[in-house]
C-alpha cells in the first residue's frame, strides 16, 4: 500500500473522507442531488441571489461582456467593469480604495502574506478561516493564534510579544464561518491602537448579510483592512479588499495571489456590480427577510432551551464525534433536509457539527422540523 492509499484509508476510518456531492441543480432554497430534491440548509448564498431566475434573465438581456479576462490584471486582464466594482465596494465601506481578488481564499492569502514579512507578526483568532492561516504560513513572519474571541488572551500575547517585532497585524473574521458568533470589533480597535498594530477583518459571512448596513460589522469603524467575498451573500464569485490608497497600491505590488493569477471574467464582475448597484433595493429587502428569519430561529432555539454561541444566520448544532454527526446528517437527509456534516480539519477535533446556514429563502417551519428531529 502506498502512502496516498494509506492516508485515504486513515481518513475513511476516521469518517473524515471528503467526496464531492453529485449536485444536479439548485433553485430557491432547494437543492437536487442524485435526482432527489432537498431543502437546502447548507448554502452561503444568504440572500438567495444566485438562483433567482428573474434576476439572471434581466442581467443576461442587458449585458454583453467578455467571458474571459485571459490574463492577470497587471497585464491585459483589466477592464472598466473592475474599476466600477472596486468603486462600489469602496463606497459601501466608506474607504478610499479597493482591490478585487479572484476568491476570498486568494484575498486573505495574498493580503496576509504581503503585509507580514520577515520581522513582522500576525495575531490571529484561533478559529480564523484556513485562508488566513495559510497566508500566515506563507508569509516570512511569525504568527500566534489567540483563543477564540478571548481578548484577554490576545492582550497578554500583545504585551509579551508585540515589541519584539516590526509590523504587527491583528486578524479576525467578523461573523465566524462555522460558529456564527461575532468578533468584538470595538475591543479589537482598542487593542490595535494600544499596541500599535494594523487590524484586518474578514467580512466574508457578514458582507450584505449581517449588520446595520450592507458593509457588515466593520462599517464606519477604524479597521485598517477589510476583506470579503462576492461568492456568498452577493450570489456571485470573487472577492475584494478595501483599505486606504497606500495599502491597496502596496497590495497591487506585493500580493502574489493577485499578481500571478488570471483575473475573473468581466462578465462575472459586471454581475456583482449590477446586483450591488441596480438591485440594491432588492438586496436590502432580502437582507431584511433574512434578519427576520434569523430572529425567529433564535427565539425558537431559546424556547427549546438549546444553547448556541451564534447570534447570526449561521447556526452550529454541535454533535461531537464524526460518525454520529454523519449519521444525524444522513437521517435528516432521508427526511428531505440537506445539512452536511462539518468535520475536522474544518472545525476543531471533537466538535463535528451540522452547520445550518439560513438564507432568505429558508422557512421557519422547516428549521423547526429539523430541531424536532434532533
Ligand atoms: N473567509 C472566510 C471566513 C470563509 O468562510 C471563506 C469561504 N468559506 C473564505 C474566506 C474564502 O472565500 P472564497 O470562497 O471566495 O474563496
Amino acid at each position: 500500500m502506498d502512502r496516498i492509499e494509506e492516508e485515504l484509508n486513515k481518513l475513511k476510518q476516521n469518517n473524515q473522507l471528503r467526496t464531492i456531492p453529485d449536485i444536479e441543480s439548485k433553485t430557491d432554497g432547494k437543492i437536487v442531488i442524485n435526482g432527489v430534491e432537498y431543502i437546502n440548509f447548507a448554502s452561503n448564498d444568504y440572500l438567495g441571489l444566485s438562483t433567482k431566475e428573474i434576476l439572471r434573465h434581466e442581467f443576461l438581456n442587458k449585458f454583453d461582456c467578455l467571458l474571459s479576462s485571459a490574463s492577470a490584471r497587471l497585464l491585459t486582464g483589466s477592464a472598466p467593469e473592475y474599476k466600477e466594482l472596486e468603486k462600489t465596494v469602496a463606497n459601501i465601506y466608506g474607504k478610499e480604495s479597493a482591490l478585487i481578488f479572484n476568491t476570498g481564499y486568494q484575498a486573505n492569502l495574498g493580503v496576509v502574506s504581503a503585509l507580514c514579512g520577515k520581522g513582522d507578526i500576525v495575531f490571529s483568532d484561533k478559529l480564523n478561516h484556513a485562508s488566513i492561516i495559510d497566508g500566515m504560513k506563507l508569509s516570512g513572519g511569525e504568527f500566534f493564534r489567540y483563543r477564540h474571541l478571548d481578548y484577554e488572551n490576545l492582550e497578554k500575547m500583545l504585551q509579551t510579544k508585540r515589541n519584539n517585532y516590526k509590523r504587527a497585524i491583528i486578524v479576525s473574521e467578523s461573523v465566524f464561518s462555522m460558529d456564527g458568533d461575532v468578533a468584538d470589533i470595538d475591543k479589537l480597535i482598542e487593542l490595535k491602537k494600544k499596541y500599535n498594530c494594523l487590524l484586518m477583518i474578514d467580512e466574508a459571512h457578514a458582507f450584505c448579510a449581517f449588520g446595520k448596513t450592507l458593509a457588515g460589522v466593520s462599517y464606519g469603524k477604524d479597521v485598517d483592512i477589510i476583506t470579503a467575498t462576492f461568492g456568498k451573500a452577493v450570489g456571485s464569485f470573487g472577492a475584494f479588499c478595501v483599505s486606504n490608497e497606500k495599502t491597496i497600491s502596496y497590495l497591487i505590488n506585493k500580493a502574489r495571489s493577485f499578481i500571478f493569477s488570471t483575473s475573473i471574467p468581466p462578465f462575472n464582475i459586471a454581475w456583482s456590480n449590477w446586483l450591488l448597484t441596480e438591485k440594491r433595493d432588492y438586496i436590502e429587502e432580502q437582507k431584511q427577510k433574512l434578519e427576520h428569519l434569523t430572529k425567529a430561529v433564535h427565539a425558537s432555539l431559546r424556547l427549546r432551551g438549546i444553547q448556541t454561541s451564534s447570534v447570526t444566520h449561521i447556526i452550529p448544532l454541535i454533535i461531537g464525534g464524526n460518525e454520529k454527526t454523519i449519521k444525524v446528517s444522513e437521517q435528516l437527509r432521508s427526511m428531505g433536509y440537506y445539512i452536511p456534516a462539518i468535520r475536522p480539519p474544518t472545525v476543531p477535533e471533537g466538535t463535528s457539527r451540522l452547520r445550518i446556514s439560513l438564507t432568505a429563502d429558508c422557512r421557519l417551519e422547516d428549521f423547526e422540523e429539523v430541531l424536532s428531529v434532533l
Side-chain angles (χ1 to χ4, degrees):
M1 200 164 40
D2 66 12
R3 254 191 70 200
I4 292 181
E5 215 177 325
E6 224 172 83
E7 293 201 14
L8 283 172
N9 281 340
K10 205 164 123 197
L11 287 172
K12 218 181 258 174
Q13 273 161 18
N14 292 339
N15 290 299
Q16 278 178 314
L17 189 72
R18 299 172 194 243
T19 54
I20 299 172
D22 286 325
I23 294 169
E24 283 162 29
S25 65
K26 286 183 276 188
T27 48
D28 302 344
K30 308 257 173 63
I31 187 163
V32 177
I33 303 173
N34 284 335
V36 183
E37 187 178 84
Y38 302 94
I39 307 256
N40 188 0
F41 273 124
S43 177
N44 289 333
D45 179 14
Y46 299 123
L47 305 185
L49 301 182
S50 78
T51 54
K52 293 280 171 297
E53 217 174 279
I54 190 163
L55 286 180
R56 196 165 66 246
H57 289 173
E58 193 181 333
F59 174 78
L60 291 172
N61 278 334
K62 275 192 183 153
F63 284 82
D64 178 19
C65 345
L66 292 178
L67 298 176
S68 166
S69 65
S71 167
R73 286 280 296 288
L74 292 170
L75 297 173
T76 60
S78 201
E81 288 84 356
Y82 276 87
K83 294 267 177 221
E84 283 164 28
L85 182 57
E86 283 169 346
K87 206 163 130 199
T88 300
V89 288
N91 279 341
I92 288 177
Y93 273 96
K95 292 281 186 195
E96 283 176 14
S97 205
L99 183 65
I100 291 169
F101 285 79
N102 291 355
T103 64
Y105 184 91
Q106 283 173 267
N108 286 337
L109 192 82
V111 173
V112 173
S113 60
L115 290 176
C116 178
K118 201 161 178 272
D120 298 332
I121 186 168
V122 179
F123 297 94
S124 168
D125 188 290
K126 191 101 185 220
L127 295 191
N128 276 345
H129 189 257
S131 51
I132 295 169
I133 299 172
D134 293 354
M136 296 191 297
K137 286 183 178 166
L138 202 64
S139 76
E142 287 203 47
F143 62 91
F144 292 96
R145 296 165 77 194
Y146 58 90
R147 285 196 294 267
H148 180 50
L149 299 182
D150 185 342
Y151 302 120
E152 272 179 34
N153 186 224
L154 169 60
E155 181 152 21
K156 271 193 195 129
M157 281 185 183
L158 288 165
Q159 276 165 356
T160 56
K161 300 181 195 305
R162 165 67 187 101
N163 284 341
N164 303 330
Y165 297 89
K166 290 183 284 182
R167 185 187 286 148
I169 312 163
I170 301 172
V171 188
S172 176
E173 293 181 26
S174 57
V175 169
F176 279 83
S177 58
M178 292 297 141
D179 291 80
D181 45 6
V182 182
D184 183 343
I185 305 288
D186 292 329
K187 183 70 194 174
L188 287 170
I189 291 170
E190 184 194 313
L191 290 174
K192 78 128 188 170
K193 284 186 173 157
K194 192 167 166 190
Y195 294 93
N196 184 29
C197 304
L198 290 173
L199 177 60
M200 170 174 166
I201 298 292
D202 177 352
E203 294 259 41
H205 295 274
F207 181 54
C208 292
F210 183 82
K212 286 196 191 91
T213 71
L214 295 189
V217 180
S218 306
Y219 179 73
K221 302 197 175 205
D222 188 6
V223 176
D224 302 290
I225 303 131
I226 294 158
T227 53
T229 76
F230 298 114
K232 301 185 194 297
V234 184
S236 182
F237 182 77
F240 64 90
C241 170
V242 289
S243 187
N244 57 31
E245 244 174 73
K246 188 176 72 181
T247 305
I248 294 299
S249 176
Y250 185 79
L251 292 173
I252 290 171
N253 286 278
K254 297 283 182 183
R256 293 167 66 85
S257 62
F258 168 79
I259 299 169
F260 296 107
S261 191
T262 299
S263 52
I264 305 171
F267 197 77
N268 212 284
I269 296 287
W271 166 245
S272 302
N273 198 43
W274 181 72
L275 288 169
L276 285 168
T277 53
E278 302 296 311
K279 294 293 150 187
R280 179 78 66 102
D281 289 348
Y282 184 66
I283 286 188
E284 298 274 9
E285 238 172 68
Q286 291 294 93
K287 182 169 172 283
Q288 250 184 29
K289 244 170 124 179
L290 178 62
E291 269 165 24
H292 289 147
L293 177 69
T294 303
K295 265 193 194 144
V297 156
H298 281 281
S300 177
L301 285 166
R302 275 195 301 277
L303 205 68
R304 289 161 196 261
I306 299 173
Q307 307 248 333
T308 171
S309 54
S310 165
V311 290
T312 65
H313 49 287
I314 298 168
I315 319 239
L317 298 170
I318 296 177
I319 312 251
N322 297 338
E323 197 178 345
K324 197 168 166 195
T325 310
I326 291 170
K327 271 201 183 129
V328 180
S329 168
E330 279 171 358
Q331 191 189 344
L332 284 164
R333 196 157 156 182
S334 70
M335 299 175 64
Y337 298 101
Y338 187 62
I339 316 174
I342 308 286
R343 293 157 284 168
T346 306
V347 293
E349 208 62 57
T351 69
S352 290
R353 66 197 66 186
L354 301 179
R355 172 190 182 266
I356 295 189
S357 55
L358 302 173
T359 71
D361 293 326
C362 291
R363 299 183 327 158
L364 181 63
E365 304 88 276
D366 292 321
F367 179 80
E368 295 198 313
E369 181 76 28
V370 169
L371 284 189
S372 64
V373 172
L374 289 169

